Amino acid sequence: MKVYDYYKEMNKGMSKKNKKHIIITVVSLIVLAIFMYFTSVYMEIIQLDEIGEYSNIYLKNFGFKAIFFVITFVIIFFVFKISNKITLNKCIKYHNDAKHPMMKLQYTLVIIVIALLGGFIAKDVFYLKFLEFLNSTSFGTSDPVFGSDVSYYIFQRPFLMSIYRFVSFLWFCVICFTLANYFIIIMPIDNTVLLKDSRLKPILNHNLINISIFFIIKVFSYRFQKEEILYSTRDGIDGASYVQASVWLKYYNIAPFLLIIIVLAAFIFLKKNKLKQALTSIVAFPVVWIVVLIIATVIQNLFVAPNAYKYEKKYLKNNMEMTRKAYNIDSVGGHTFEDIEPLTKKIMNENSNTKENIRIVDLEATIDSNKQLQSLTPFYNFNDGDILSYNFDGKEIPVLISAREIDTKKIQDKTYLNKMFRYTHGYGVVINPINKVTKQGQTEFIMSGLNNKTSDGSLKVKLPQIYYGELTNNYVVVNEKDSSKLTEIDETGTKEVNYEGKGGIELNLFKRLLFSIKNRDGKLLISSNIDSNSRLLINRNIVERVKRAVPFITVDDNAYIVLTKDGRLKWVLDGYTTSSNFPNAQFYGNVNYIRNSLKIVVDAYDGQVEYYVIDKDDPVIKTYSKIYKDVFKYDGLPEDIKEHIRYPEELFNIQSEMIEKYHLDPSKEENVRAFDGKQNFWNIATIQNKDTKQEEVLEPFYNMINLPGKYSKNEELILMRPYTPIGEKHNLVSWLAVRNSYEDYGKLILFNFSNSSNVFGPYQIEDKINQIDSISKDMTLWGTSGSEVFKGNLLVIPIENSLLYVEPIYIKSSSKSIPEVRLIVAGYQDGNEFKYGIGTDLDLAINDLFGITESEDKTKTGETNNKDDEKEEDKDKEKIDEIKEKYDDIKKQLDELGKILEEEEAE
């Protein structure tokens, strides 16, 4: 038989010289690609080592990726090669029988390309799942349907499923490749061929065998489909339901055997040329599935739906139990207020520490104030601020701490020289007390200014420069201890400094070339301001920096900065281990398991990153610790970080939202019944948005209080969020607190109100404050004068068995002015009434609330001990009375002005 060699015919017209050029070009491109790839590997290694010697993570991953690339490449290549060989042999026989010339096609290069693509994709799919599979850690908890440890679903099942999907998809591609191969070789030469042609029988058999193998492979999928009922959804509840466990589970158990029988029957019929019977056999499989679907639908609608609780209570309980474990809310503490007592002077006096630590400033307004008062140069800015606990004179108080960072957008002269070499870092922090303001209503400072002036001698900043932060998204070059080169702008903009830290990558010529190519920055290569003493500070955004080293950890982007006792500034971030494979647990977005397993510390000067394990019971972080040895530290947080540790708002948001439904204890049947009927569900308390006037959920807020009941004897920093009943009601039913101290870190407590009490919620209190005549008039008058008037955060502060509500009212004279606290409203509930007091500070507001004078208040707190004190008190009283008189006069004038305006409007 004559064989038409397509490639041979093409090569006849190609000269040896052209062939040589093509070979040289192809080889050169391959060599260049390999060089570029390993160059990128080298650059990744040096960047990770600069972060903190974390290249071992990358190298381990790289090694296992390489192994899986080779394995999958070899498998794909040989499977396609063997399939192609069989195809060509059958084509040759077909053409021999038909006495037709056959086109000879060389598929080796095509198969190599397919295998390369498959290998590159598969290596990223397999490597981490395989490492988790090898190093899995038991959860000690079994799923309620199959009885397998949760570790199987988190670590083992994903890898086994990946193997199945790979084999299944590979064989599907082989089927398509084989069919296309036959079509390309046979049809151009013999396009009149009929299926009943006897010469096609070997070819048809080959394709039928391929399809049969595909169905045999599919048999293994039913184990995973059976387990998939643990992640299904019914009426908004995730996990197995009655119909799935009673009907579909049985189907998935028999489906593999049914499929094998059908495939064998179809194959036998085809061998006997009984195509109709073969087709009938194949159709039987989807028919069985349809029958099962009908049975499941009938059972669901006729039996389960009319009496859902009877059938579903077991599965609802499973969902409740597993969800509570997945989000670590199964051991929430509890305290019930039998009755809410009206707040009294006595209670306030006995809880003076709580009163002194009440937050009276709005965080957003305080940060806005800091930007205007404390940026101090055009190129500094504050990204945000965070509430932490600090010890001053032996007393814990809550403060707002904000980092003064470099903002390249604000550099006046944006030359390459300035952005790369001169304006390289931020400078220092600002610390504000959140429980007091100045006489003008502006925020006070514990630490401020570019000289880091402080009112407390225990605070010292020895390294104020911030080279790594939240706003540092660009790379810079510093010249270590080399005054002959460019110095960096420091502090006020007139002072200059050279970097003396350990951060950055030393720049030799080769590294300069690599990073100039990577960043498309030719000036980096040719600049005369760079020599052997220069260092490239790269990956300076702290969130991206910590993610780069441990990409398998979810990192909270809300970092906070801490001033340590040795005068260094360090960023602290929270790291989470998450999964979407926790069986029978409710999903939150795309995850159904989360733990705050890590505190990540980043030095703001050197950029060194350290990962500290704070949840040593988390099986996921244990598994990663086995995989990547010596990466995660188990020896405890440094003392400076312990003292200022705080629970992350992001995780608290997730947990508080899950508790809306899952606060019910599933061990009690009445709670499962209530869960089924959506009874006793909660909503997070809402409040009116100050801008849109629309109702929105109240965000969590930090408070320093003495927890009610048995939980605390001293004031401590907590994060809290209140709840109201589901529906349109706004009264409080509970509030959730999480403790922040290192000893009690992460302990959740629900403080519940009895069903018989009617406790005002934030929305109701806000409405009552809006109805205060003097407040309404004052805000209207201030607003008409061109000023912007707005309310700060409304806080609900528990004090023993009482609640104190506090809200500041701000005024800004223009868009660029500094916001000032003009008034503070404090109040409590007495029956169905809202008792309130108003003052220019919290003390005056509380005094007004209880109708007491300043001297009476001082007597109650034991401040009048001798005659000198009494004289001072009299002087203070005179000043206060004078201020009150002036305030009353101004208020009276404003009231009169309001009446005049109302009359003019009426006319």
Side-chain angles (χ1 to χ4, degrees):
M1 183 195 74
K2 182 179 179 182
V3 176
Y4 176 72
D5 193 333
Y6 175 78
Y7 293 99
K8 186 176 181 181
E9 294 298 320
M10 283 187 62
N11 289 337
K12 284 181 180 178
M14 188 180 295
S15 66
K16 290 183 178 180
K17 186 176 181 181
N18 288 338
K19 287 181 182 179
K20 185 177 180 181
H21 285 162
I22 291 172
I23 292 171
I24 292 173
T25 301
V26 171
V27 171
S28 298
L29 288 173
I30 292 172
V31 171
L32 179 62
I34 292 172
F35 174 77
M36 291 176 65
Y37 179 73
F38 281 100
T39 297
S40 68
V41 170
Y42 169 71
M43 293 180 71
E44 190 67 24
I45 289 171
I46 61 176
Q47 289 182 78
L48 290 171
D49 282 340
E50 187 270 338
I51 291 173
E53 301 294 332
Y54 294 116
S55 62
N56 58 326
I57 298 175
Y58 177 78
L59 289 172
K60 185 160 194 172
N61 292 345
F62 179 83
F64 277 91
K65 284 182 182 181
I67 290 169
F68 278 105
F69 171 78
V70 172
I71 291 172
T72 52
F73 173 84
V74 170
I75 291 172
I76 295 170
F77 178 82
F78 279 105
V79 167
F80 272 85
K81 191 71 176 174
I82 292 168
S83 177
N84 186 57
K85 181 69 174 174
I86 295 170
T87 303
L88 289 177
N89 288 340
K90 293 188 180 298
C91 286
I92 290 172
K93 187 177 185 306
Y94 174 85
H95 284 289
N96 281 340
D97 294 342
K99 297 181 180 180
H100 289 306
M102 191 183 89
M103 182 186 298
K104 184 180 179 183
L105 298 174
Q106 299 293 333
Y107 281 111
T108 302
L109 183 59
V110 175
I111 292 172
I112 289 173
V113 171
I114 292 172
L116 284 172
L117 289 173
F120 271 113
I121 295 170
K123 67 180 176 62
D124 291 319
V125 172
F126 280 114
Y127 84 95
L128 186 56
K129 292 176 182 176
F130 177 69
L131 289 170
E132 292 174 347
F133 179 86
L134 285 183
N135 297 277
S136 64
T137 303
S138 173
F139 274 70
T141 298
S142 299
D143 84 89
V145 177
F146 303 105
S148 300
D149 190 88
V150 171
S151 61
Y152 163 74
Y153 299 96
I154 302 289
F155 303 122
Q156 297 169 5
R157 183 172 181 266
F159 177 66
L160 297 175
M161 288 180 66
S162 295
I163 293 175
Y164 162 73
R165 287 169 180 164
F166 170 74
V167 174
S168 178
F169 184 72
L170 171 62
W171 202 254
F172 177 78
C173 291
V174 166
I175 292 171
C176 296
F177 181 79
T178 302
L179 287 170
N181 208 349
Y182 280 124
F183 183 83
I184 291 170
I185 294 175
I186 294 175
M187 293 307 293
I189 298 171
D190 194 357
N191 55 18
T192 60
V193 66
L194 300 175
L195 285 175
K196 59 184 180 180
D197 192 330
S198 61
R199 290 171 299 167
L200 277 180
K201 189 172 182 180
I203 293 173
L204 288 173
N205 285 340
H206 181 206
N207 285 286
L208 288 172
I209 290 170
N210 280 350
I211 294 170
S212 299
I213 293 173
F214 178 78
F215 280 109
I216 297 299
I217 293 170
K218 185 172 176 59
V219 165
F220 294 95
S221 73
Y222 287 101
R223 172 181 176 176
F224 304 123
Q225 289 189 50
K226 179 172 64 175
E227 294 164 348
E228 198 64 27
I229 68 172
L230 297 172
Y231 306 99
S232 58
T233 300
R234 184 195 64 82
D235 295 337
I237 304 298
D238 295 332
S241 64
Y242 174 81
V243 168
Q244 289 162 335
S246 302
V247 179
W248 287 107
L249 185 56
K250 290 180 174 61
Y251 166 73
Y252 291 134
N253 284 330
I254 65 170
F257 304 102
L258 181 63
L259 183 59
I260 291 172
I261 292 169
I262 287 173
V263 169
L264 289 174
F267 192 75
I268 291 169
F269 286 131
L270 286 170
K271 291 292 285 184
K272 295 179 178 181
N273 289 325
K274 296 181 179 180
L275 293 176
K276 186 176 180 180
Q277 290 86 339
L279 183 61
T280 303
S281 300
I282 293 170
V283 170
F285 192 75
V287 168
V288 171
W289 183 86
I290 291 171
V291 170
V292 174
L293 177 63
I294 293 170
I295 293 171
T297 304
V298 169
I299 291 175
Q300 176 64 39
N301 291 306
L302 294 185
F303 295 95
V304 178
N307 195 5
Y309 180 70
K310 174 184 174 182
Y311 291 95
E312 299 288 2
K313 64 180 179 179
K314 171 184 175 182
Y315 304 99
L316 290 170
K317 183 178 180 181
N318 291 343
N319 170 268
M320 294 171 72
E321 289 176 343
M322 298 303 280
T323 299
R324 285 159 62 91
K325 289 177 181 177
Y327 295 93
N328 205 21
I329 58 175
D330 57 331
S331 57
V332 177
H335 175 79
T336 299
F337 296 100
E338 294 302 325
D339 196 12
I340 291 297
E341 301 173 1
L343 201 61
T344 64
K345 291 182 284 184
K346 181 175 182 294
I347 293 173
M348 288 301 302
N349 289 335
E350 290 174 350
N351 292 271
S352 59
N353 287 338
T354 295
K355 184 192 79 169
E356 290 172 6
N357 285 315
I358 291 173
R359 192 180 101 200
I360 61 170
V361 297
D362 186 67
L363 300 190
E364 187 177 333
T366 305
I367 293 167
D368 184 19
S369 176
N370 284 344
K371 286 179 179 179
Q372 297 185 59
L373 294 174
Q374 287 296 312
S375 292
L376 301 176
T377 66
F379 45 84
Y380 290 140
N381 201 0
F382 295 91
N383 182 54
D384 62 11
D386 297 280
I387 294 177
L388 301 178
S389 172
Y390 266 80
N391 189 301
F392 296 107
D393 297 324
K395 186 177 180 181
E396 292 288 329
I397 70 166
V399 300
L400 179 74
I401 183 167
S402 308
R404 187 186 291 108
E405 296 194 64
I406 189 77
D407 190 345
T408 55
K409 296 177 183 177
K410 293 191 171 187
I411 298 174
Q412 299 298 309
D413 188 6
K414 294 182 176 64
T415 63
Y416 182 82
L417 190 73
N418 280 338
K419 290 195 295 182
M420 182 63 70
F421 299 96
R422 300 279 279 163
Y423 295 90
T424 58
H425 58 272
Y427 197 89
V429 293
V430 172
I431 302 178
N432 308 103
I434 63 172
N435 57 348
K436 60 178 71 174
V437 292
T438 66
K439 291 181 179 179
Q440 292 76 33
Q442 295 181 9
T443 182
E444 286 197 357
F445 299 98
I446 294 173
M447 176 172 283
S448 62
L450 293 172
N451 59 353
N452 300 303
K453 181 181 177 183
T454 176
S455 60
D456 188 279
S458 64
L459 296 177
K460 295 178 182 178
V461 183
K462 293 183 179 177
L463 279 174
Q465 292 83 8
I466 300 174
Y467 286 90
Y468 299 84
E470 295 177 295
L471 297 179
T472 47
N473 298 311
N474 62 314
Y475 57 92
V476 296
V477 175
V478 294
N479 295 289
E480 184 185 24
K481 300 179 183 179
D482 187 0
S483 58
S484 65
K485 296 296 177 184
L486 282 174
T487 51
E488 305 160 51
I489 297 295
D490 194 49
E491 200 174 326
T492 60
T494 57
K495 187 177 176 182
E496 298 184 342
V497 72
N498 282 101
Y499 183 70
E500 298 183 0
K502 299 175 182 178
I505 298 169
E506 294 179 357
L507 285 176
N508 55 33
L509 184 60
F510 180 61
K511 290 178 183 176
R512 288 173 68 179
L513 174 63
L514 292 180
F515 282 102
S516 64
I517 294 172
K518 177 181 182 292
N519 298 305
R520 300 177 183 177
D521 184 359
K523 294 178 182 178
L524 185 65
L525 179 63
I526 63 175
S527 175
S528 60
N529 293 302
I530 302 174
D531 59 16
S532 58
N533 289 315
S534 300
R535 303 173 76 89
L536 177 68
L537 304 189
I538 201 167
N539 302 315
R540 298 202 299 148
N541 182 288
I542 52 173
V543 176
E544 298 304 319
R545 188 174 180 83
V546 300
K547 283 181 180 178
R548 193 180 194 103
V550 288
F552 45 86
I553 296 294
T554 302
V555 179
D556 193 331
D557 58 5
N558 185 18
Y560 59 92
I561 199 163
V562 168
L563 174 59
T564 64
K565 291 180 181 177
D566 61 355
R568 297 184 77 96
L569 297 173
K570 295 192 176 184
W571 295 97
V572 182
L573 300 91
D574 288 281
Y576 308 117
T577 53
T578 61
S579 177
S580 58
N581 297 312
F582 201 92
N584 249 80
Q586 196 72 16
F587 276 84
Y588 185 95
N590 60 353
V591 302
N592 65 359
Y593 174 86
I594 187 168
R595 288 292 185 276
N596 178 208
S597 298
L598 296 171
K599 288 290 182 183
I600 308 165
V601 181
V602 185
D603 192 294
Y605 191 78
D606 285 341
Q608 292 299 295
V609 180
E610 294 175 307
Y611 300 88
Y612 294 93
V613 176
I614 57 169
D615 186 351
K616 298 178 182 179
D617 296 325
D618 174 29
V620 180
I621 201 63
K622 286 182 179 180
T623 296
Y624 288 139
S625 298
K626 292 178 188 176
I627 298 170
Y628 307 107
K629 298 186 185 300
D630 302 324
V631 169
F632 304 107
K633 299 179 183 296
Y634 277 84
D635 51 356
L637 283 170
E639 287 300 321
D640 285 333
I641 306 301
K642 278 184 186 179
E643 290 180 6
H644 312 297
I645 193 172
R646 72 167 202 176
Y647 200 73
E649 291 179 66
E650 182 175 346
L651 178 56
F652 188 70
N653 276 331
I654 294 172
Q655 291 175 314
S656 60
E657 288 180 34
M658 297 307 296
I659 283 175
E660 287 180 317
K661 295 179 180 178
Y662 291 95
H663 62 277
L664 298 169
D665 181 1
S667 65
K668 299 177 181 178
E669 185 175 347
E670 62 267 25
N671 287 339
V672 180
R673 184 181 290 276
F675 184 85
D676 176 61
K678 298 179 175 56
Q679 301 168 6
N680 202 21
F681 281 8
W682 298 340
N683 282 334
I684 291 168
T686 59
I687 199 164
Q688 193 180 77
N689 183 283
K690 65 184 180 184
D691 297 319
T692 65
K693 307 304 179 185
Q694 297 297 314
E695 191 173 342
E696 64 180 15
V697 297
L698 189 67
E699 294 300 321
F701 51 91
Y702 290 95
N703 257 330
M704 183 163 279
I705 66 171
N706 191 334
L707 287 171
K710 63 182 179 180
Y711 291 100
S712 180
K713 298 299 181 185
N714 299 302
E715 281 69 27
E716 61 178 290
L717 187 67
I718 65 161
L719 183 60
M720 64 178 291
R721 207 173 196 186
Y723 294 99
T724 58
I726 192 169
E728 301 298 322
K729 294 182 178 180
H730 293 289
N731 57 292
L732 285 184
V733 294
S734 182
W735 57 275
L736 177 68
V738 65
R739 306 177 80 169
N740 288 263
S741 65
Y742 185 74
E743 295 76 16
D744 296 307
Y745 182 80
K747 291 182 179 179
L748 295 162
I749 309 169
L750 271 174
F751 294 89
N752 302 312
F753 302 106
S754 66
N755 294 331
S756 60
S757 61
N758 179 28
V759 182
F760 293 155
Y763 191 91
Q764 294 168 311
I765 293 297
E766 186 68 52
D767 188 52
K768 290 184 180 295
I769 291 174
N770 290 336
Q771 294 175 26
I772 298 174
D773 189 55
S774 60
I775 295 290
S776 178
K777 286 183 179 180
D778 288 347
M779 291 185 68
T780 301
L781 289 173
W782 293 334
T784 56
S785 64
S787 297
E788 179 187 352
V789 183
F790 61 94
K791 294 177 180 177
N793 299 119
L794 173 65
L795 301 184
V796 183
I797 297 101
I799 302 177
E800 295 185 11
N801 286 331
S802 305
L803 294 176
L804 175 68
Y805 304 91
V806 175
E807 184 174 59
I809 298 174
Y810 280 84
I811 187 169
K812 286 175 68 174
S813 61
S814 67
S815 59
K816 293 184 179 180
S817 73
I818 299 165
E820 298 175 353
V821 176
R822 183 54 56 94
L823 291 175
I824 291 175
V825 182
Y828 65 91
Q829 179 179 353
D830 186 1
N832 290 321
E833 293 185 21
F834 176 60
K835 304 287 187 180
Y836 65 87
I838 304 171
T840 53
D841 62 32
L842 183 61
D843 283 335
L844 291 176
I846 290 176
N847 286 345
D848 185 47
L849 174 63
F850 293 116
I852 59 177
T853 65
E854 184 73 7
S855 59
E856 288 175 333
D857 183 52
K858 287 185 176 182
T859 302
K860 292 290 184 184
T861 54
E863 293 184 18
T864 53
N865 295 318
N866 51 53
K867 293 182 180 180
D868 292 335
D869 290 339
E870 290 174 0
K871 290 178 181 179
E872 290 295 325
E873 181 185 350
D874 291 338
K875 290 180 181 179
D876 290 341
K877 184 179 180 302
E878 289 174 5
K879 290 179 181 178
I880 290 169
D881 290 341
E882 185 179 346
I883 292 170
K884 278 189 172 183
E885 287 177 9
K886 289 181 179 179
Y887 174 77
D888 291 337
D889 289 340
I890 293 171
K891 189 171 178 297
K892 185 177 179 181
Q893 292 174 14
L894 290 172
D895 289 339
E896 291 175 357
L897 179 60
K899 290 178 182 178
I900 294 170
L901 290 172
E902 287 175 1
E903 290 173 359
E904 290 179 353
E905 286 178 0
E907 291 174 0

